[in-house]
Amino acid sequence: MADNATQASISDDLSNAPTKSKRILDWVKGVAELTKPDRIYWVDGSAEENDRLTQEMVDSGTLIRLNDEKFPNSFAAFSDPADVARVESRTFICSEDEKDSGFTNNWMAPAEMMENLNRVFDGSMRGRTMYVIPFVMGHLDAEDPKFGIEITDSPYVVASMRIMAKIGSDVLAKIDETDAFFVPAIHSVGYPLAEGQEDVPWPCNDEKWIVHFPEDRSIWSYGSGYGGNALLGKKAYALRIASVMAQDEGWLAEHMLILKLISPEGKAYHIAGAFPSACGKTNLALLDPTIEGWKAETLGDDINWMRFGKDGELRGVNPEYGLFGVAPGTGWSTNPNAMRAIEKGNSIFTNVALTEDGGVWWEGMTDEVPAKLTDWRGNEWTPESDTPAAHPNSRFCTPIDQLDMLAEEYYDPQGVKIDAILFGGRRKTTIPLVTQSRDWQHGIFFGSTLSSETTAAAEGAVGNVRRDPMAMLPFIGYNAGDYLNHWDTVTKDHGEANLPKIFLVNWFRRTADGGFAWPGFGDNSRVLKWAVERIEGTADANETAVGFVPTYESMDLTGLDMTEEQFAEAIAVDKDEWLAEIEKIKVWYDNFGEELPASMAQQFEELKNRVNAL
Ligand SMILES: Nc1nc2c(ncn2[C@@H]2O[C@H](COP(=O)(O)OP(=O)(O)OP(=O)(O)O)[C@@H](O)[C@H]2O)c(=O)[nH]1
Ligand SMILES: O=C([O-])CC(=O)C(=O)O
Ligand SMILES: [Mn+2]
């Protein structure tokens, strides 16, 4: 399109915008002047619009429509093989002062970063449509709704954001009506099209920038179309920017699932759990308890915004509308609830394998492995192939209300009272199956020293132990020392009685012969039962140097073939392992320097003394 004609069409798109807000129009206009798209499209969020956009993506080869009988209204997408996960090395927190970003984040001075961004975004949307997506994280009728507007040149992002957040006309109307603050979030895949140039199914750029400006609460993302890099309501807003808002406003934005566990007597407990990416949040959130009479319902599988209620209790809300779950390992035997939700359709799968009858498959979905598949790279695949059929970080993106087990409190803007918090990671050794903290401070210590072997959810080597405080290492939008301090100060005045009990869990410990020490998945309900019985004061525990672990008798192992010796292996506290762990914690804590809260330094000293006395 000639430049004059493009400009005319852009000004039409602006004058026909569904908002009269000068603030929004000026911003959108400015982004269009920089990125130079062919047109601007205002996303209304309707089903008709989604049908149109997904059909366009089918026609252009970005999406494959799945067999409608097996997966209605569902699509598969395949990313560029170099764009398969969050890119932590290219993720920045650009505070004015470097100190406010801290050692866990990449930093660049805002002015210098803006020079970069102005360079890469200049003309980055040429030949494309610029979509404007108004969205809200959490409830539209919350007391203080958290709005955002994402500008993107990726229709895949529009369709995925529609699943993950509440988007469209109602949201824009509410922003207008209340003149509300919104987080401006700008995303470009960084693949402009020259006149006549043909597009590729998954446009992206080798150069990537995932940038957050905490002071003005804005987000710029360039070069990737994938997951947390591109769906900016999720990790970028609901964790990185929200953690900064939470620090200012006195609440907590956390990387946690929220589960409602109901006892045989009908008493409900709400359990939050912070596990690093690909360490079991979605699976626990969709738990199918294996113990008689206990039931579970889901509130959230990834993000938990916690505020203090009027009676001083800590309440949690899930700000998302969809599940963005790791596909491999999600199957009929491990997670039937996810499978039932997925089968209802309305989903986008990314980097899974395709079956011959127009369905999808991934490792662990069914016990039987299909004889022939098309793998995530588009190659023919058989069980003899030596690469996985689905990428290890392949994902299903599915509306959360398709879960049969969704708790009714999911719809309550006040959220639920959190009774327990679990911190968990993936550790082959050292960390017992479950440990209750000695008190609230000791629980924060659990979180601050949380560690896990790295997974495929982020680029880089898999399997190295790294510290991941509160499972927030890649998501704390400010100085990590200030973040630990915020956990401490924001909860200080509320008293142990109002605060949740804290537990450290490890579903991934290995036995001497290399197998898992604990069966995991639905059997994790046994650990949750023990935890709520600890809250009620009815379950026994042994006090160890690292906290309270269950006695063999106190853990309900009915129906499990687990001897006392095997259980002892799962909960063992080994002096040599802990001496080594203490050394590693020291190295980790040294990073904080002056910023380490005194209370955590003290917890560390106390742990050291207890372990040395073993
Ligand atoms: N052995 C074992 N594996 C588990 C258990 N729970 C989850 N997993 C596996 O861990 C992987 C990731 O699980 P998810 O529940 O998707 O992890 P997540 O924390 O939601 O991941 P993100 O969405 O990246 O934040 C899958 O391959 C699961 O099969 C468990 O209890 N035991
Ligand atoms: O953000 C993503 O791409 C997916 C996700 O949930 C995570 O990595 O924790
Ligand atoms: Mn998940």
Side-chain angles (χ1 to χ4, degrees):
M1 202 186 279
D3 260 4
N4 284 346
T6 308
Q7 267 166 26
S9 113
I10 293 282
S11 48
D12 270 2
D13 295 338
L14 286 168
S15 43
N16 296 327
T19 173
K20 294 287 163 248
S21 156
K22 188 163 162 12
R23 190 171 52 114
I24 297 175
L25 290 170
D26 284 351
W27 174 64
V28 171
K29 182 162 177 267
V31 177
E33 278 164 6
L34 174 65
T35 59
K36 307 180 176 62
D38 274 3
R39 65 199 78 80
I40 300 174
Y41 178 81
W42 299 81
V43 174
D44 67 23
S46 67
E48 296 71 38
E49 175 185 83
N50 187 58
D51 288 347
R52 191 158 25 84
L53 287 180
T54 49
Q55 185 57 47
E56 280 170 24
M57 284 188 275
V58 170
D59 295 340
S60 71
T62 294
L63 294 183
I64 292 176
R65 188 183 295 279
L66 299 179
N67 181 333
D68 216 49
E69 267 158 40
K70 300 183 75 175
F71 299 98
N73 192 31
S74 295
F75 304 88
F78 300 93
S79 78
D80 184 292
D83 192 22
V84 293
R86 282 182 295 102
V87 283
E88 294 179 4
S89 62
R90 305 298 304 159
T91 301
F92 291 78
I93 301 294
C94 295
S95 45
E96 287 294 340
D97 187 342
E98 179 168 10
K99 211 164 149 258
D100 293 330
S101 167
F103 77 95
T104 59
N105 290 306
N106 300 309
W107 178 85
M108 197 187 283
E112 192 187 343
M113 178 58 85
M114 271 322 296
E115 276 180 32
N116 266 317
L117 295 174
N118 281 323
R119 169 179 58 83
V120 295
F121 276 90
D122 185 3
S124 74
M125 298 190 184
R126 240 187 213 115
R128 298 189 181 280
T129 300
M130 177 173 124
Y131 301 91
V132 183
I133 319 170
F135 67 95
V136 62
M137 298 310 294
H139 293 265
L140 195 53
D141 49 2
E143 227 166 82
D144 174 22
K146 296 298 187 206
F147 293 108
I149 301 183
E150 178 163 353
I151 289 180
T152 178
D153 54 7
S154 162
Y156 165 88
V157 166
V158 178
S160 302
M161 279 291 285
R162 181 166 183 271
I163 298 171
M164 295 309 299
K166 171 129 191 59
I167 69 168
S169 309
D170 295 357
V171 179
L172 185 59
K174 183 96 182 219
I175 298 176
D176 274 354
E177 203 178 288
T178 56
D179 199 25
F181 174 80
F182 65 89
V183 166
I186 306 170
H187 169 251
S188 173
V189 294
Y191 195 96
L193 295 169
E195 182 107 44
Q197 182 183 346
E198 224 185 295
D199 205 356
V200 292
W202 187 277
C204 60
N205 196 300
D206 288 344
E207 183 175 349
K208 292 178 172 58
W209 296 95
I210 319 296
V211 182
H212 310 71
F213 295 98
E215 278 103 3
D216 69 7
R217 317 243 196 272
S218 63
I219 304 166
W220 293 69
S221 165
Y222 178 85
S224 168
Y226 199 75
N229 299 329
L231 312 178
L232 298 182
K234 196 173 174 56
K235 308 290 189 185
Y237 185 158
L239 291 178
R240 296 195 193 97
I241 294 293
S243 66
V244 178
M245 295 175 159
Q247 187 202 23
D248 282 356
E249 298 167 10
W251 50 284
L252 294 161
E254 298 298 325
H255 189 204
M256 292 177 174
L257 69 102
I258 317 171
L259 174 77
K260 176 177 172 185
L261 186 72
I262 306 158
S263 74
E265 296 74 40
K267 183 157 182 197
Y269 301 86
H270 301 107
I271 299 171
F275 311 156
S277 298
C279 291
K281 289 182 301 299
T282 302
N283 275 274
L284 191 66
L286 274 55
L287 176 82
D288 215 3
T290 51
I291 36 175
E292 229 2 79
W294 290 73
K295 264 188 58 190
E297 294 177 0
T298 308
L299 286 140
D301 82 316
D302 200 47
I303 297 176
N304 176 14
W305 284 358
M306 289 187 285
R307 292 161 197 277
F308 286 96
K310 42 178 191 323
D311 299 324
E313 76 287 14
L314 192 58
R315 304 188 74 86
V317 169
N318 169 18
E320 298 194 282
Y321 276 71
L323 307 168
F324 189 70
V326 179
T330 303
W332 286 104
S333 57
T334 53
N335 195 340
N337 294 309
M339 295 308 294
R340 275 191 290 273
I342 288 168
E343 274 200 335
K344 290 184 191 165
N346 311 308
S347 299
I348 298 175
F349 301 90
T350 306
N351 291 343
V352 300
L354 292 175
T355 60
E356 288 196 289
D357 60 352
V360 287
W361 193 82
W362 49 76
E363 279 68 20
M365 179 176 174
T366 52
D367 291 337
E368 205 175 312
V369 178
K372 208 167 141 217
L373 294 166
T374 304
D375 75 8
W376 71 279
R377 288 164 177 264
N379 298 323
E380 202 171 285
W381 188 95
T382 68
E384 282 72 49
S385 300
D386 49 16
T387 50
H391 187 278
N393 193 38
S394 55
R395 298 272 171 166
F396 58 88
C397 183
T398 300
I400 199 169
D401 62 6
Q402 290 184 190
L403 283 175
D404 296 329
M405 67 185 300
L406 190 67
E408 63 183 9
E409 294 85 355
Y410 169 79
Y411 297 101
D412 183 351
Q414 303 298 321
V416 293
K417 173 176 184 286
I418 303 294
D419 299 297
I421 293 175
L422 315 181
F423 290 115
R426 201 178 262 273
R427 289 291 304 269
K428 293 193 174 81
T429 67
T430 318
I431 311 294
L433 169 65
V434 57
T435 315
Q436 183 183 8
S437 76
R438 302 160 67 88
D439 54 27
W440 176 255
Q441 286 281 339
H442 185 227
I444 300 180
F445 178 73
F446 279 176
S448 76
T449 57
L450 189 64
S451 61
S452 189
E453 287 137 22
T454 47
T455 67
E459 35 116 51
V462 166
N464 301 326
V465 173
R466 75 169 184 184
R467 297 292 135 183
D468 193 337
M470 277 80 174
M472 283 285 281
L473 179 71
F475 309 120
I476 302 170
Y478 59 103
N479 183 297
D482 293 343
Y483 168 78
L484 294 184
N485 203 41
H486 179 61
W487 259 84
D488 200 358
T489 49
V490 83
T491 55
K492 212 190 323 278
D493 300 333
H494 290 270
E496 288 273 330
N498 268 323
L499 291 166
K501 297 284 177 271
I502 300 183
F503 301 82
L504 182 66
V505 300
N506 179 17
W507 317 139
F508 299 91
R509 198 168 189 179
R510 302 291 179 131
T511 57
D513 62 16
F516 285 108
W518 177 250
F521 300 102
D523 287 316
N524 294 335
S525 57
R526 301 168 191 274
V527 173
L528 301 186
K529 176 181 173 191
W530 181 79
V532 305
E533 287 175 353
R534 288 296 293 168
I535 295 173
E536 296 292 358
T538 57
D540 274 343
N542 286 323
E543 185 170 356
T544 75
V546 302
F548 296 95
V549 301
T551 60
Y552 181 63
E553 292 72 29
S554 68
M555 179 68 65
D556 186 344
L557 299 170
T558 320
L560 261 194
D561 191 15
M562 195 169 212
T563 64
E564 187 157 1
E565 261 159 44
Q566 287 170 324
F567 185 68
E569 217 175 339
I571 55 157
V573 176
D574 180 275
K575 181 170 183 179
D576 287 339
E577 286 181 350
W578 274 94
L579 285 172
E581 188 72 8
I582 281 171
E583 286 311 308
K584 292 187 201 145
I585 294 175
K586 176 160 184 355
V587 172
W588 163 242
Y589 266 12
D590 280 348
N591 290 310
F592 287 83
E594 299 281 280
E595 313 288 333
L596 186 72
S599 56
M600 292 299 106
Q602 188 191 329
Q603 287 292 333
F604 178 63
E605 286 307 311
E606 288 174 13
L607 173 71
K608 214 162 62 181
N609 293 339
R610 290 194 305 265
V611 171
N612 278 319
L614 277 176

